[in-house]
């Protein structure tokens, strides 16, 4: 039995299912990211777990105890969960120390215990020197750490995070991703983290759950989701990829509608014939030497865009009947706009997508 279980969880608004028959098992101490675009149902799923909304179908269990089902929902304050919001939600008139210790005082802990636990978490989150400052005197990253400290100090069974880094600039977001993972590794709370940012999910998660239109498209480790996408949606959403549509020949080859013939080294072919092939941008090889022998997994194209990005160059190459292929190459490999090039799609990097 898993620690947190969602069983056929459903929530409807105006008759439309925003969470549609979702089932998920989360092990104790695991950090799970619900990942997907706006409107996919991830935040509603989190709010269902928190107890802020009641499901229309299915149930939620924690440690084997049912906490949510239609008409029978345990109040949020009785779930032993802490939630961190996108806006931080700090008390502006309280110091950092007062914000962090407030939940302990509400629980009626002795003054000495409050002091001890607050001081400990402030040290762990590197906030001890800021304990007497007010939220308005802190940077965004510091405010986010206060929000984390306040959630962790009460020692919840489950930690819920709703887009916690979306208000930070790029550098702070990167720093806080690692901070969240560091704190998780220290305390090992069961954590459910909502984000639309794939880099956040890849950096922090033990398990990534990709959602689309209220459904779970795929769940797996970061490596599983990136290297072995099962659907076109997952392939496109996680990392840059090109998707070519075509017909499977019954063996390992797909004849694409743009004339490209691709042998695929992995994936699942559609038994009905119609199959898509995913090839990551960085897996395509660019060159100006015509291939010898067969042309399978090769195609000629024209460079229509070239952007220098320091560590690499970003290319758009037109092939066939005007279809564009997005690819990247080392920065020292430079092809001018309008130049003819050959593209190689290594078979081991071509993944068939049945649906």
């Amino acid at each position: 039995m898993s620690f947190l279980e969602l069983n056929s969880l459903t929530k409807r608004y105006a008759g439309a299912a925003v969470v549609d028959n979702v089932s998920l098992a989360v092990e104790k101490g695991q950090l799970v990211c619900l990942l997907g675009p706006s409107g996919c149902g991830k935040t509603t799923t989190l709010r269902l777990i928190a107890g802020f909304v009641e499901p229309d179908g299915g149930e939620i269990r924690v440690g084997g105890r049912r906490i949510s089902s239609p008409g029978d929902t345990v109040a949020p304050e009785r779930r032993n969960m802490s939630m961190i919001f996108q806006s931080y939600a700090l008390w502006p008139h309280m110091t950092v120390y007062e914000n962090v210790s407030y939940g302990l005082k509400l629980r009626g802990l002795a003054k000495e215990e409050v002091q001890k636990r607050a001081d400990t978490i402030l040290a762990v989150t590197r906030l001890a020197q800021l304990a007497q400052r007010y939220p308005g005197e802190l940077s965004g990253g510091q405010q986010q750490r206060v929000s984390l400290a306040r959630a962790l100090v009460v020692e919840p069974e489950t930690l819920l995070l709703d887009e916690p880094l979306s208000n930070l600039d790029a550098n702070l977001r990167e720093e806080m991703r690692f901070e969240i993972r560091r704190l998780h590794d220290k305390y090992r709370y069961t954590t459910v983290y909502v984000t639309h940012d794939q880099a956040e999910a890849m950096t922090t998660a033990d398990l990534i759950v990709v959602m689309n239109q209220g459904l779970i498209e795929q769940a797996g480790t970061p490596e599983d989701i990136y290297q072995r996408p099962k659907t076109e949606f997952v392939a496109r959403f996680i990392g840059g990829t090109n998707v070519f549509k075509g017909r499977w020949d019954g063996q390992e080859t797909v004849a694409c509608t743009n004339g490209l013939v691709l042998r695929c080294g992995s994936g699942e072919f559609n038994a009905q014939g119609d199959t898509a092939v995913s090839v990551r941008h960085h897996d395509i090889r660019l060159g100006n030497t015509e291939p010898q022998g067969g042309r399978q997994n090769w195609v000629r194209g024209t460079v229509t865009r070239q952007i220098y990005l320091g560590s690499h160059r970003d290319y758009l190459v037109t092939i066939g009947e005007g279809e564009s292929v997005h690819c990247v190459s080392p920065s020292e490999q430079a092809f001018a706009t309008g130049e003819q090039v050959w593209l190689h799609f290594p078979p081991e990097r071509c993944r068939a997508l049945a649906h």
Side-chain angles (χ1 to χ4, degrees):
M1 180 180 65
S2 299
F3 177 70
L4 172 63
E5 297 175 287
L6 313 184
N7 300 315
S8 302
L9 195 64
T10 300
K11 183 63 184 177
R12 298 183 182 87
Y13 290 112
V18 294
V19 175
D20 192 0
N21 199 36
V22 164
S23 294
L24 177 67
V26 180
E27 302 303 323
K28 191 172 182 62
Q30 196 171 36
L31 195 159
V32 176
C33 272
L34 304 183
L35 176 67
S38 297
C40 71
K42 58 188 186 296
T43 294
T44 301
T45 301
L46 194 75
R47 290 174 63 82
L48 285 162
I49 295 170
F52 297 153
V53 293
E54 183 178 298
D56 294 311
E59 64 176 18
I60 301 172
R61 289 181 174 270
V62 174
R65 179 174 68 104
R66 187 173 64 192
I67 62 170
S68 279
S69 63
D72 182 18
T73 298
V74 174
E77 63 272 18
R78 294 174 51 208
R79 296 188 176 210
N80 196 15
M81 297 179 177
S82 286
M83 188 160 180
I84 299 175
F85 298 91
Q86 182 177 342
S87 61
Y88 316 141
L90 301 178
W91 296 104
H93 62 287
M94 292 184 181
T95 65
V96 168
Y97 176 85
E98 290 168 339
N99 266 282
V100 170
S101 62
Y102 184 69
L104 299 174
K105 292 177 180 177
L106 283 181
R107 285 161 173 77
L109 272 67
K111 183 177 180 180
E112 295 76 14
E113 181 66 13
V114 170
Q115 180 83 46
K116 178 183 175 182
R117 286 170 60 170
D119 286 346
T120 298
I121 199 67
L122 288 171
V124 169
T125 53
R126 301 164 186 168
L127 291 167
Q129 301 302 314
L130 306 174
Q132 297 310 313
R133 290 194 189 180
Y134 290 89
E137 299 171 333
L138 304 177
S139 69
Q142 290 167 340
Q143 290 185 50
Q144 185 61 75
R145 289 211 304 276
V146 176
S147 185
L148 275 167
R150 185 179 62 182
L152 294 172
V153 75
V154 297
E155 299 180 356
E157 285 186 320
T158 309
L159 180 63
L160 309 176
L161 300 96
D162 186 13
E163 302 274 11
L165 308 183
S166 60
N167 290 334
L168 304 180
D169 62 41
N171 289 335
L172 274 176
R173 277 203 306 274
E174 184 172 3
E175 176 187 330
M176 286 303 302
R177 289 171 198 154
F178 293 106
E179 183 71 3
I180 287 172
R181 185 67 221 193
R182 181 183 72 84
L183 291 169
H184 176 78
D185 289 341
K186 182 174 180 63
Y187 290 102
R188 303 304 300 181
Y189 294 129
T190 305
T191 302
V192 183
Y193 185 129
V194 162
T195 183
H196 64 273
D197 187 320
Q198 61 174 283
E200 282 181 35
M202 297 287 284
T203 303
T204 59
D206 298 312
L207 179 74
I208 295 176
V209 178
V210 183
M211 297 189 68
N212 181 32
Q213 297 182 340
L215 301 168
I216 293 177
E217 286 269 337
Q218 187 174 345
T221 66
E223 184 176 350
D224 283 336
I225 295 294
Y226 186 86
Q227 298 286 359
R228 293 172 285 278
K230 292 182 178 180
T231 69
E232 182 177 341
F233 177 85
V234 174
R236 290 186 184 278
F237 195 79
I238 305 292
T241 198
N242 298 280
V243 176
F244 306 105
K245 304 291 182 66
R247 292 283 297 177
W248 177 42
D249 70 350
Q251 300 297 316
E252 296 180 344
T253 301
V254 175
C256 302
T257 55
N258 56 19
L260 186 60
V261 178
L262 295 174
R263 183 164 62 87
C264 300
S266 66
E268 181 182 348
F269 297 94
N270 190 335
Q272 304 303 315
D274 291 328
T275 298
V277 180
S278 168
V279 191
R280 298 288 184 192
H281 299 164
H282 63 272
D283 287 330
I284 299 171
R285 306 290 181 255
L286 279 176
N288 49 20
T289 303
E290 185 172 350
Q292 301 300 310
R295 298 291 174 84
Q296 191 178 77
N297 290 69
W298 287 87
V299 70
R300 192 177 186 184
T302 303
V303 175
T304 54
R305 187 189 72 194
Q306 188 254 89
I307 302 173
Y308 176 74
L309 294 171
S311 62
H312 63 277
R313 294 179 189 268
D314 187 286
Y315 287 97
L316 207 61
V317 180
T318 299
I319 65 170
E321 299 180 357
E323 183 170 358
S324 292
V325 178
H326 192 173
C327 47
V328 299
S329 73
S331 56
E332 61 270 17
Q333 189 179 37
F335 300 102
T337 300
E339 188 172 349
Q340 297 287 303
V341 293
W342 284 93
L343 285 74
H344 181 223
F345 304 84
E348 67 274 14
R349 299 298 183 183
C350 295
R351 182 170 179 80
L353 305 172
H355 56 286

